[in-house]
Amino acid sequence: MRILAVSDVEESWLTTHYDRDRMEGVELIISCGDLPASYLEHIVTLANIPLLYVAGNHDTAYARHAPEGCVNIDGCIARYRGVRFMGLGGSIRYNSRIYGYTEQEMRWRSTKLSLVARMTGGIDVMVTHAPARGYNDLPDLPHQGFEAFNTCLEVLKPHTMVHGHVHREYGRIARTGRHPSGTRILNACGSRIFEVPDAPGVEAADCALIVRRVARGGLVG
């Protein structure tokens, strides 16, 4: 499956200068957060394919106006065309004005999701806003990753983890990494297109998008 991931930084090739050639073959869009609802609505309208999202630490406005035509997977297990996704939004809570969690709170949410994921066959793609601790994150508190995500990767061993939050202009930020679990880690800030293996033997009935909410909380429903 060919997937477009977006996060944090708006890019005109997806809106005012929409580039159909670059979108050729893309079957799904994932937003890793910190993007205006109107931007995601513009993208999903032009692309006319499903868009899954988690909220970033600056997306508190989603509580008043969630991106229309897009699907919130924060705290959810989702499946599309047989490929399985798990979503966890927010960042480390560094003040009371952002959408964030303490390490302990995120460990509780991610553990609950991981248990359900294991019971239902695992996941292929882990979608987060913040990175895993020690992988594409920074030492300052606002941009530290979650240690809980490392546990998720060790237990579930997804093919890919895609996140945002750490902008390229912050310094020499790795765009691609490899976790000891074998998971490929991708920083989606701005945009990037990647592929994951298609699910074997997918039938027409499996092409529907199925979302199961597991961990309560989050900004949207």
Side-chain angles (χ1 to χ4, degrees), residues 100 144 180:
Q144 282 182 14

Side-chain angles (χ1 to χ4, degrees), residues 101-219:
Y101 295 92
T102 65
E103 179 67 46
Q104 184 176 0
E105 289 169 341
M106 185 58 80
R107 185 166 295 279
W108 181 87
R109 297 189 87 225
S110 61
T111 297
K112 189 172 184 180
L113 267 176
S114 295
L115 286 171
V116 173
R118 289 184 70 185
M119 290 187 295
T120 54
I123 60 170
D124 302 297
V125 182
M126 182 170 167
V127 180
T128 67
H129 179 63
R133 186 75 176 105
Y135 297 89
N136 300 355
D137 66 343
L138 293 172
D140 63 304
L141 180 61
H143 298 102
Q144 282 182 14
F146 284 105
E147 188 62 48
F149 291 169
N150 285 312
T151 303
C152 289
L153 298 179
E154 290 160 6
V155 170
L156 298 173
K157 297 178 171 57
H159 181 276
T160 299
M161 173 183 176
V162 59
H163 69 86
H165 193 51
V166 183
H167 298 211
R168 282 174 284 182
E169 58 265 30
Y170 292 169
R172 294 184 177 179
I173 306 301
R175 289 275 282 166
T176 304
R178 183 71 62 176
H179 193 266
S181 63
T183 298
R184 175 182 59 172
I185 300 178
L186 305 178
N187 182 333
C189 280
S191 66
R192 68 183 304 167
I193 293 172
F194 67 97
E195 296 187 2
V196 295
D198 291 327
V202 175
E203 311 239 345
D206 294 320
C207 290
L209 173 62
I210 300 171
V211 179
R212 178 180 180 183
R213 183 163 302 283
V214 177
R216 299 294 174 183
L219 287 172

Side-chain angles (χ1 to χ4, degrees), residues 10-20 22-23 38-47:
E10 298 179 48
E11 295 188 345
S12 63
W13 76 270
L14 287 165
T15 53
T16 54
H17 299 96
Y18 186 68
D19 191 335
R20 295 186 183 278
R22 287 178 70 176
M23 286 294 290
S38 58
Y39 179 68
L40 299 186
E41 291 165 356
H42 199 156
I43 292 173
V44 78
T45 299
L46 290 173

Side-chain angles (χ1 to χ4, degrees), residues 41-117:
E41 291 165 356
H42 199 156
I43 292 173
V44 78
T45 299
L46 290 173
N48 195 30
I49 55 177
L51 190 156
L52 312 181
Y53 72 91
V54 297
N57 55 303
H58 296 302
D59 287 327
T60 52
Y62 286 8
R64 299 185 299 276
H65 175 79
E68 294 181 4
C70 308
V71 180
N72 176 29
I73 61 165
D74 189 4
C76 299
I77 307 291
R79 188 179 75 220
Y80 181 62
R81 296 189 177 178
V83 178
R84 302 156 300 178
F85 302 84
M86 183 173 88
L88 287 163
S91 73
I92 287 279
R93 183 184 297 138
Y94 55 89
N95 66 42
S96 61
R97 300 184 301 277
I98 61 142
Y99 173 46
Y101 295 92
T102 65
E103 179 67 46
Q104 184 176 0
E105 289 169 341
M106 185 58 80
R107 185 166 295 279
W108 181 87
R109 297 189 87 225
S110 61
T111 297
K112 189 172 184 180
L113 267 176
S114 295
L115 286 171
V116 173

